[in-house]
Amino acid sequence: MNTEFRRVLRKIFRNPSAILGFSLLIFFILVAIFAPVIAKPLNPMMLDEEGKPIKLDNPYIMPIITWSSEPVPPSREHPFGMIQGRDIFYGVVWGTRTAFYIGLTVTILSTIFGIIIGSIAGYYGGWIDEILMRITDTFMSIPFLLAAMVLTTILGNGLDKVMIAMTVFGWMGAARLIRANILQVKEEQFVLAAKALGVKDFFIIIRHILPNTIFPVLIQASMRMGSLVITAAGLSFLGLGAPLGYADWGSMLNFTRNWILGTSGSAFTYWYAVFYPGMAMVLFVLAWNLVGDALRDVFDPRLK
């Protein structure tokens, strides 16, 4: 076990892109964990009896610092500037928690559902496989972003509705991948021996098949994390995701629409309103993609 673990670490540390990916991911994890320390959730517009800012009940709601809607350039008090009276730095920091919440929730739920469907289809085959795969093909034929937009519109605005929509239309890749892996493994001798001993199908799948087929699905899931966050941010940018003022990178970019689409040169004048939340999304997606590539390079037997 120790030898295998050392081999994995050695292979990761010899890959510069893997080091970059894990470094970025650790950075975002630390920002999410220490968000209350990095950006304290206080509302300076609301003071207590002693004249001190009142702590927000919901720290994910960006506090209103000024009632002016004009973008304010970066300063010592607000290093990333302000947009719509809200601190961009606060939104970027707490938006990291939102990104992890959306990405992990949707990835876990859609992957579990995909594994269940794909495992049943691959293990039993026949007409069960045919029906489940035709259902999967039907869902795959619908553009993911368009389907998520339509379902979110039907369910109503809100991050919970966005996550439901992305989960409903995001399980097919995991289902197809686990099915293909199970089709290769289910005829192996250890599976046939378990069947001959009368082991129930459920325990064969859980104990014998999934441990030998699930890792490519987990790698795929890690690489989907970034794209799911981008999709959620796109829906928030269109006004279908996070509520107004929520610490979400897409919602923050929604504040900039009047400025980046306004008069000529305004996009350069208010670059900070787009740059910081946009760069956070880029680096977040890059981190997960590099980590997924590194895990694939380490654990894919064809690349050993």
Side-chain angles (χ1 to χ4, degrees):
M1 181 67 178
N2 292 333
T3 303
E4 180 67 15
F5 183 70
R6 285 197 298 268
R7 184 192 69 81
V8 171
L9 289 181
R10 186 165 58 250
K11 203 162 186 179
I12 289 176
F13 283 112
R14 287 179 179 176
N15 188 343
S17 63
I19 296 175
L20 176 61
F22 278 101
S23 299
L24 286 173
L25 185 57
I26 292 172
F27 169 76
F28 279 110
I29 292 174
L30 293 176
V31 170
I33 293 173
F34 295 106
V37 178
I38 300 172
K40 295 182 179 180
L42 301 175
N43 191 343
M45 301 294 289
M46 299 175 62
L47 305 179
D48 59 15
E49 296 177 354
E50 298 179 358
K52 297 181 180 179
I54 294 177
K55 188 172 182 178
L56 295 175
D57 293 332
N58 184 0
Y60 291 95
I61 301 298
M62 299 169 62
I64 297 177
I65 299 173
T66 174
W67 295 112
S68 174
S69 62
E70 287 282 336
V72 179
S75 62
R76 187 172 183 178
E77 294 78 14
H78 309 288
F80 290 179
M82 292 193 297
I83 185 71
Q84 292 289 331
R86 295 170 171 88
D87 186 25
I88 297 175
F89 177 77
Y90 185 96
V92 169
V93 171
W94 282 88
T96 305
R97 284 193 170 192
T98 304
F100 275 110
Y101 173 60
I102 295 172
L104 289 174
T105 302
V106 176
T107 300
I108 291 172
L109 292 179
S110 60
T111 301
I112 290 175
F113 188 70
I115 288 174
I116 293 173
I117 297 297
S119 298
I120 294 173
Y123 183 79
Y124 290 104
W127 63 270
I128 296 178
D129 180 31
E130 189 69 21
I131 292 176
L132 291 178
M133 286 302 100
R134 296 299 74 77
I135 294 174
T136 303
D137 291 339
T138 301
F139 274 84
M140 293 186 72
S141 66
I142 305 173
F144 177 67
L145 182 58
L146 179 61
M149 288 176 58
V150 172
L151 188 54
T152 303
T153 304
I154 295 173
L155 296 175
N157 294 356
L159 280 181
D160 54 341
K161 310 301 191 304
V162 168
M163 290 189 292
I164 291 173
M166 291 196 297
T167 301
V168 170
F169 292 99
W171 55 270
M172 297 82 71
R176 280 210 162 274
L177 183 56
I178 196 70
R179 170 186 175 271
N181 293 337
I182 288 177
L183 288 176
Q184 296 177 351
V185 172
K186 72 175 185 177
E187 300 301 330
E188 296 288 342
Q189 293 298 323
F190 62 90
V191 176
L192 298 177
K195 288 182 179 179
L197 291 173
V199 180
K200 293 183 179 180
D201 293 340
F202 176 79
F203 293 106
I204 293 177
I205 294 173
I206 296 296
R207 294 180 180 177
H208 300 289
I209 293 182
L210 285 184
N212 292 283
T213 58
I214 198 172
F215 203 84
V217 179
L218 299 181
I219 295 175
Q220 182 200 57
S222 68
M223 299 183 72
R224 290 181 61 234
M225 277 279 296
S227 62
L228 290 173
V229 171
I230 289 293
T231 301
L235 293 173
S236 294
F237 179 77
L238 297 174
L240 299 174
L244 183 66
Y246 199 88
D248 174 76
W249 297 331
S251 181
M252 293 175 64
L253 291 177
N254 187 22
F255 286 145
T256 67
R257 286 196 295 181
N258 293 335
W259 310 106
I260 62 178
L261 300 177
T263 59
S264 176
S266 61
F268 296 99
T269 305
Y270 306 116
W271 60 271
Y272 49 88
V274 179
F275 176 78
Y276 291 113
M279 184 55 64
M281 284 193 289
V282 170
L283 294 179
F284 190 85
V285 174
L286 178 63
W288 282 106
N289 286 345
L290 292 178
V291 167
D293 284 338
L295 294 177
R296 182 198 60 195
D297 294 343
V298 169
F299 293 103
D300 192 335
R302 292 170 298 181
L303 300 176
K304 289 183 180 180

